[in-house]
PDB file of all heavy atoms in Angstrom:
ATOM      1  N   THR F  20      15.720 107.587-119.522  1.00 84.00           N
ATOM      2  CA  THR F  20      16.238 108.585-118.626  1.00 84.00           C
ATOM      3  C   THR F  20      16.960 107.922-117.461  1.00 84.00           C
ATOM      4  O   THR F  20      18.133 108.277-117.124  1.00 84.00           O
ATOM      5  CB  THR F  20      15.119 109.578-118.119  1.00 84.00           C
ATOM      6  OG1 THR F  20      14.565 110.190-119.337  1.00 84.00           O
ATOM      7  CG2 THR F  20      15.630 110.606-117.207  1.00 84.00           C
ATOM      8  N   ASN F  23      20.276 106.353-118.243  1.00 87.00           N
ATOM      9  CA  ASN F  23      21.354 107.315-118.445  1.00 87.00           C
ATOM     10  C   ASN F  23      21.760 108.098-117.291  1.00 87.00           C
ATOM     11  O   ASN F  23      22.325 109.212-117.380  1.00 87.00           O
ATOM     12  CB  ASN F  23      21.014 108.140-119.676  1.00 87.00           C
ATOM     13  CG  ASN F  23      21.154 107.342-120.936  1.00 87.00           C
ATOM     14  OD1 ASN F  23      22.248 107.136-121.370  1.00 87.00           O
ATOM     15  ND2 ASN F  23      19.983 107.026-121.555  1.00 87.00           N
ATOM     16  N   HIS F  24      21.280 107.665-116.004  1.00 89.00           N
ATOM     17  CA  HIS F  24      21.623 108.335-114.788  1.00 89.00           C
ATOM     18  C   HIS F  24      21.060 109.724-114.655  1.00 89.00           C
ATOM     19  O   HIS F  24      21.691 110.625-114.018  1.00 89.00           O
ATOM     20  CB  HIS F  24      23.125 108.321-114.591  1.00 89.00           C
ATOM     21  CG  HIS F  24      23.753 107.052-114.823  1.00 89.00           C
ATOM     22  ND1 HIS F  24      23.581 105.937-113.924  1.00 89.00           N
ATOM     23  CD2 HIS F  24      24.554 106.549-115.767  1.00 89.00           C
ATOM     24  CE1 HIS F  24      24.255 104.884-114.349  1.00 89.00           C
ATOM     25  NE2 HIS F  24      24.792 105.216-115.498  1.00 89.00           N
ATOM     26  N   MET F  25      19.900 109.925-115.197  1.00 93.00           N
ATOM     27  CA  MET F  25      19.292 111.274-115.108  1.00 93.00           C
ATOM     28  C   MET F  25      18.056 111.085-114.229  1.00 93.00           C
ATOM     29  O   MET F  25      17.244 110.127-114.298  1.00 93.00           O
ATOM     30  CB  MET F  25      18.825 111.739-116.474  1.00 93.00           C
ATOM     31  CG  MET F  25      20.022 111.936-117.359  1.00 93.00           C
ATOM     32  SD  MET F  25      19.587 112.322-119.106  1.00 93.00           S
ATOM     33  CE  MET F  25      21.114 112.104-119.883  1.00 93.00           C
ATOM     34  N   THR F  26      17.749 112.122-113.357  1.00 92.00           N
ATOM     35  CA  THR F  26      16.607 112.114-112.522  1.00 92.00           C
ATOM     36  C   THR F  26      15.964 113.518-112.552  1.00 92.00           C
ATOM     37  O   THR F  26      16.692 114.501-112.674  1.00 92.00           O
ATOM     38  CB  THR F  26      16.915 111.720-111.072  1.00 92.00           C
ATOM     39  OG1 THR F  26      18.025 112.527-110.569  1.00 92.00           O
ATOM     40  CG2 THR F  26      17.416 110.234-111.038  1.00 92.00           C
ATOM     41  N   GLU F  28      14.552 116.465-110.479  1.00 93.00           N
ATOM     42  CA  GLU F  28      14.786 116.921-109.075  1.00 93.00           C
ATOM     43  C   GLU F  28      13.647 117.850-108.653  1.00 93.00           C
ATOM     44  O   GLU F  28      13.302 117.782-107.497  1.00 93.00           O
ATOM     45  CB  GLU F  28      16.145 117.808-109.040  1.00 93.00           C
ATOM     46  CG  GLU F  28      17.293 116.980-108.856  1.00 93.00           C
ATOM     47  CD  GLU F  28      18.525 117.797-108.497  1.00 93.00           C
ATOM     48  OE1 GLU F  28      18.610 119.008-108.837  1.00 93.00           O
ATOM     49  OE2 GLU F  28      19.359 117.278-107.756  1.00 93.00           O
ATOM     50  N   TYR F  37      16.200 118.792-114.130  1.00 96.00           N
ATOM     51  CA  TYR F  37      16.761 117.429-114.264  1.00 96.00           C
ATOM     52  C   TYR F  37      18.225 117.486-113.822  1.00 96.00           C
ATOM     53  O   TYR F  37      18.922 118.455-113.968  1.00 96.00           O
ATOM     54  CB  TYR F  37      16.602 116.941-115.629  1.00 96.00           C
ATOM     55  CG  TYR F  37      15.386 116.116-115.898  1.00 96.00           C
ATOM     56  CD1 TYR F  37      14.181 116.703-116.106  1.00 96.00           C
ATOM     57  CD2 TYR F  37      15.434 114.751-115.894  1.00 96.00           C
ATOM     58  CE1 TYR F  37      12.986 116.008-116.345  1.00 96.00           C
ATOM     59  CE2 TYR F  37      14.284 114.003-116.119  1.00 96.00           C
ATOM     60  CZ  TYR F  37      13.118 114.605-116.323  1.00 96.00           C
ATOM     61  OH  TYR F  37      11.952 113.893-116.583  1.00 96.00           O
ATOM     62  N   ARG F  38      18.640 116.362-113.310  1.00 96.00           N
ATOM     63  CA  ARG F  38      20.052 116.177-112.841  1.00 96.00           C
ATOM     64  C   ARG F  38      20.657 115.003-113.541  1.00 96.00           C
ATOM     65  O   ARG F  38      20.013 113.905-113.645  1.00 96.00           O
ATOM     66  CB  ARG F  38      19.979 115.863-111.348  1.00 96.00           C
ATOM     67  CG  ARG F  38      21.273 115.436-110.770  1.00 96.00           C
ATOM     68  CD  ARG F  38      20.995 115.025-109.294  1.00 96.00           C
ATOM     69  NE  ARG F  38      22.238 114.539-108.689  1.00 96.00           N
ATOM     70  CZ  ARG F  38      22.694 114.951-107.550  1.00 96.00           C
ATOM     71  NH1 ARG F  38      22.055 115.834-106.880  1.00 96.00           N
ATOM     72  NH2 ARG F  38      23.815 114.465-107.095  1.00 96.00           N
ATOM     73  N   LEU F  39      21.852 115.133-113.918  1.00 96.00           N
ATOM     74  CA  LEU F  39      22.711 114.073-114.486  1.00 96.00           C
ATOM     75  C   LEU F  39      23.839 113.818-113.537  1.00 96.00           C
ATOM     76  O   LEU F  39      24.647 114.756-113.366  1.00 96.00           O
ATOM     77  CB  LEU F  39      23.243 114.362-115.900  1.00 96.00           C
ATOM     78  CG  LEU F  39      24.363 113.529-116.452  1.00 96.00           C
ATOM     79  CD1 LEU F  39      23.830 112.059-116.649  1.00 96.00           C
ATOM     80  CD2 LEU F  39      24.876 114.095-117.766  1.00 96.00           C
ATOM     81  N   ASP F  40      23.966 112.636-113.005  1.00 96.00           N
ATOM     82  CA  ASP F  40      25.153 112.207-112.215  1.00 96.00           C
ATOM     83  C   ASP F  40      26.109 111.657-113.198  1.00 96.00           C
ATOM     84  O   ASP F  40      25.804 110.561-113.798  1.00 96.00           O
ATOM     85  CB  ASP F  40      24.829 111.237-111.083  1.00 96.00           C
ATOM     86  CG  ASP F  40      23.878 111.896-110.018  1.00 96.00           C
ATOM     87  OD1 ASP F  40      24.269 112.925-109.528  1.00 96.00           O
ATOM     88  OD2 ASP F  40      22.834 111.307-109.767  1.00 96.00           O
ATOM     89  N   VAL F  41      27.183 112.204-113.447  1.00 96.00           N
ATOM     90  CA  VAL F  41      28.131 111.820-114.508  1.00 96.00           C
ATOM     91  C   VAL F  41      28.794 110.442-114.060  1.00 96.00           C
ATOM     92  O   VAL F  41      29.290 110.357-113.026  1.00 96.00           O
ATOM     93  CB  VAL F  41      29.238 112.915-114.804  1.00 96.00           C
ATOM     94  CG1 VAL F  41      30.201 112.394-115.838  1.00 96.00           C
ATOM     95  CG2 VAL F  41      28.510 114.179-115.281  1.00 96.00           C
ATOM     96  N   HIS F  42      28.689 109.487-114.932  1.00 96.00           N
ATOM     97  CA  HIS F  42      29.275 108.092-114.768  1.00 96.00           C
ATOM     98  C   HIS F  42      30.264 107.925-115.922  1.00 96.00           C
ATOM     99  O   HIS F  42      30.238 108.669-116.948  1.00 96.00           O
ATOM    100  CB  HIS F  42      28.202 107.095-114.763  1.00 96.00           C
ATOM    101  CG  HIS F  42      27.416 107.029-113.493  1.00 96.00           C
ATOM    102  ND1 HIS F  42      26.425 107.964-113.199  1.00 96.00           N
ATOM    103  CD2 HIS F  42      27.428 106.151-112.455  1.00 96.00           C
ATOM    104  CE1 HIS F  42      25.880 107.709-112.089  1.00 96.00           C
ATOM    105  NE2 HIS F  42      26.508 106.597-111.553  1.00 96.00           N
ATOM    106  N   SER F  45      28.713 108.021-119.307  1.00 94.00           N
ATOM    107  CA  SER F  45      28.236 109.353-119.732  1.00 94.00           C
ATOM    108  C   SER F  45      29.232 110.054-120.583  1.00 94.00           C
ATOM    109  O   SER F  45      28.909 111.131-121.219  1.00 94.00           O
ATOM    110  CB  SER F  45      27.990 110.260-118.530  1.00 94.00           C
ATOM    111  OG  SER F  45      27.061 109.588-117.609  1.00 94.00           O
ATOM    112  N   VAL F  52      31.628 114.775-120.851  1.00 97.00           N
ATOM    113  CA  VAL F  52      30.221 114.356-121.036  1.00 97.00           C
ATOM    114  C   VAL F  52      29.793 114.341-122.570  1.00 97.00           C
ATOM    115  O   VAL F  52      30.092 115.325-123.282  1.00 97.00           O
ATOM    116  CB  VAL F  52      29.208 115.130-120.215  1.00 97.00           C
ATOM    117  CG1 VAL F  52      27.787 114.786-120.447  1.00 97.00           C
ATOM    118  CG2 VAL F  52      29.553 115.051-118.744  1.00 97.00           C
ATOM    119  N   HIS F  53      29.243 113.233-122.980  1.00 97.00           N
ATOM    120  CA  HIS F  53      28.895 113.103-124.383  1.00 97.00           C
ATOM    121  C   HIS F  53      27.851 114.080-124.683  1.00 97.00           C
ATOM    122  O   HIS F  53      26.819 114.349-123.925  1.00 97.00           O
ATOM    123  CB  HIS F  53      28.351 111.644-124.571  1.00 97.00           C
ATOM    124  CG  HIS F  53      28.134 111.275-125.994  1.00 97.00           C
ATOM    125  ND1 HIS F  53      27.115 111.735-126.738  1.00 97.00           N
ATOM    126  CD2 HIS F  53      28.925 110.441-126.786  1.00 97.00           C
ATOM    127  CE1 HIS F  53      27.213 111.233-127.968  1.00 97.00           C
ATOM    128  NE2 HIS F  53      28.275 110.380-128.020  1.00 97.00           N
ATOM    129  N   ALA F  56      24.249 112.909-124.323  1.00 96.00           N
ATOM    130  CA  ALA F  56      23.808 112.907-122.956  1.00 96.00           C
ATOM    131  C   ALA F  56      23.242 114.299-122.546  1.00 96.00           C
ATOM    132  O   ALA F  56      22.147 114.395-121.970  1.00 96.00           O
ATOM    133  CB  ALA F  56      24.841 112.459-122.030  1.00 96.00           C
ATOM    134  N   LEU F  57      23.957 115.310-122.930  1.00 98.00           N
ATOM    135  CA  LEU F  57      23.521 116.751-122.711  1.00 98.00           C
ATOM    136  C   LEU F  57      22.264 117.070-123.415  1.00 98.00           C
ATOM    137  O   LEU F  57      21.351 117.691-122.896  1.00 98.00           O
ATOM    138  CB  LEU F  57      24.639 117.728-123.008  1.00 98.00           C
ATOM    139  CG  LEU F  57      25.891 117.685-122.154  1.00 98.00           C
ATOM    140  CD1 LEU F  57      26.963 118.620-122.755  1.00 98.00           C
ATOM    141  CD2 LEU F  57      25.625 117.989-120.764  1.00 98.00           C
ATOM    142  N   LEU F  60      19.351 115.239-121.617  1.00 97.00           N
ATOM    143  CA  LEU F  60      19.135 115.985-120.430  1.00 97.00           C
ATOM    144  C   LEU F  60      18.184 117.213-120.784  1.00 97.00           C
ATOM    145  O   LEU F  60      17.298 117.501-120.112  1.00 97.00           O
ATOM    146  CB  LEU F  60      20.428 116.353-119.733  1.00 97.00           C
ATOM    147  CG  LEU F  60      20.215 116.858-118.282  1.00 97.00           C
ATOM    148  CD1 LEU F  60      19.709 115.895-117.363  1.00 97.00           C
ATOM    149  CD2 LEU F  60      21.577 117.394-117.895  1.00 97.00           C
ATOM    150  N   LYS F  91      33.329 115.227-114.896  1.00 97.00           N
ATOM    151  CA  LYS F  91      32.728 114.560-113.797  1.00 97.00           C
ATOM    152  C   LYS F  91      31.783 115.483-112.983  1.00 97.00           C
ATOM    153  O   LYS F  91      31.692 116.663-113.297  1.00 97.00           O
ATOM    154  CB  LYS F  91      33.913 114.084-112.792  1.00 97.00           C
ATOM    155  CG  LYS F  91      34.833 115.248-112.316  1.00 97.00           C
ATOM    156  CD  LYS F  91      35.921 114.678-111.445  1.00 97.00           C
ATOM    157  CE  LYS F  91      36.789 115.929-111.074  1.00 97.00           C
ATOM    158  NZ  LYS F  91      37.961 115.549-110.253  1.00 97.00           N
ATOM    159  N   GLY F  92      31.170 114.965-111.934  1.00 97.00           N
ATOM    160  CA  GLY F  92      30.383 115.769-111.121  1.00 97.00           C
ATOM    161  C   GLY F  92      28.825 115.603-111.453  1.00 97.00           C
ATOM    162  O   GLY F  92      28.352 114.546-111.957  1.00 97.00           O
ATOM    163  N   VAL F  93      28.105 116.667-111.025  1.00 98.00           N
ATOM    164  CA  VAL F  93      26.656 116.661-111.255  1.00 98.00           C
ATOM    165  C   VAL F  93      26.372 117.866-112.241  1.00 98.00           C
ATOM    166  O   VAL F  93      26.996 118.924-112.143  1.00 98.00           O
ATOM    167  CB  VAL F  93      25.885 116.906-109.923  1.00 98.00           C
ATOM    168  CG1 VAL F  93      24.450 117.161-110.169  1.00 98.00           C
ATOM    169  CG2 VAL F  93      26.150 115.768-109.017  1.00 98.00           C
ATOM    170  N   ILE F  94      25.484 117.521-113.123  1.00 98.00           N
ATOM    171  CA  ILE F  94      25.068 118.587-114.162  1.00 98.00           C
ATOM    172  C   ILE F  94      23.558 118.664-114.083  1.00 98.00           C
ATOM    173  O   ILE F  94      22.829 117.659-114.021  1.00 98.00           O
ATOM    174  CB  ILE F  94      25.563 118.172-115.605  1.00 98.00           C
ATOM    175  CG1 ILE F  94      27.080 118.133-115.635  1.00 98.00           C
ATOM    176  CG2 ILE F  94      24.963 119.047-116.650  1.00 98.00           C
ATOM    177  CD1 ILE F  94      27.636 117.575-116.978  1.00 98.00           C
ATOM    178  N   ARG F  95      23.040 119.901-114.183  1.00 98.00           N
ATOM    179  CA  ARG F  95      21.625 120.128-114.124  1.00 98.00           C
ATOM    180  C   ARG F  95      21.103 120.855-115.331  1.00 98.00           C
ATOM    181  O   ARG F  95      21.806 121.804-115.873  1.00 98.00           O
ATOM    182  CB  ARG F  95      21.258 121.020-112.842  1.00 98.00           C
ATOM    183  CG  ARG F  95      21.383 120.119-111.556  1.00 98.00           C
ATOM    184  CD  ARG F  95      20.940 120.909-110.342  1.00 98.00           C
ATOM    185  NE  ARG F  95      20.989 120.064-109.194  1.00 98.00           N
ATOM    186  CZ  ARG F  95      22.142 119.733-108.483  1.00 98.00           C
ATOM    187  NH1 ARG F  95      23.254 120.196-108.855  1.00 98.00           N
ATOM    188  NH2 ARG F  95      22.011 118.906-107.461  1.00 98.00           N
ATOM    189  N   ALA F  96      19.835 120.528-115.756  1.00 98.00           N
ATOM    190  CA  ALA F  96      19.118 121.245-116.835  1.00 98.00           C
ATOM    191  C   ALA F  96      17.888 121.812-116.244  1.00 98.00           C
ATOM    192  O   ALA F  96      17.129 121.064-115.666  1.00 98.00           O
ATOM    193  CB  ALA F  96      18.888 120.293-117.966  1.00 98.00           C
ATOM    194  N   ILE F 114      21.794 124.402-119.247  1.00 98.00           N
ATOM    195  CA  ILE F 114      22.468 123.300-118.622  1.00 98.00           C
ATOM    196  C   ILE F 114      23.687 123.831-117.905  1.00 98.00           C
ATOM    197  O   ILE F 114      24.442 124.522-118.556  1.00 98.00           O
ATOM    198  CB  ILE F 114      22.831 122.161-119.529  1.00 98.00           C
ATOM    199  CG1 ILE F 114      21.661 121.591-120.262  1.00 98.00           C
ATOM    200  CG2 ILE F 114      23.661 121.141-118.863  1.00 98.00           C
ATOM    201  CD1 ILE F 114      21.919 120.531-121.255  1.00 98.00           C
TER     202      ILE F 114
END
Side-chain angles (χ1 to χ4, degrees):
T20 299
N23 287 289
H24 310 288
M25 298 173 193
T26 55
E28 280 193 327
Y37 265 80
R38 169 189 177 128
L39 165 64
D40 294 308
V41 178
H42 286 75
S45 305
V52 175
H53 193 285
L57 294 174
L60 188 67
K91 59 184 177 179
V93 174
I94 294 173
R95 287 183 174 81
I114 299 177

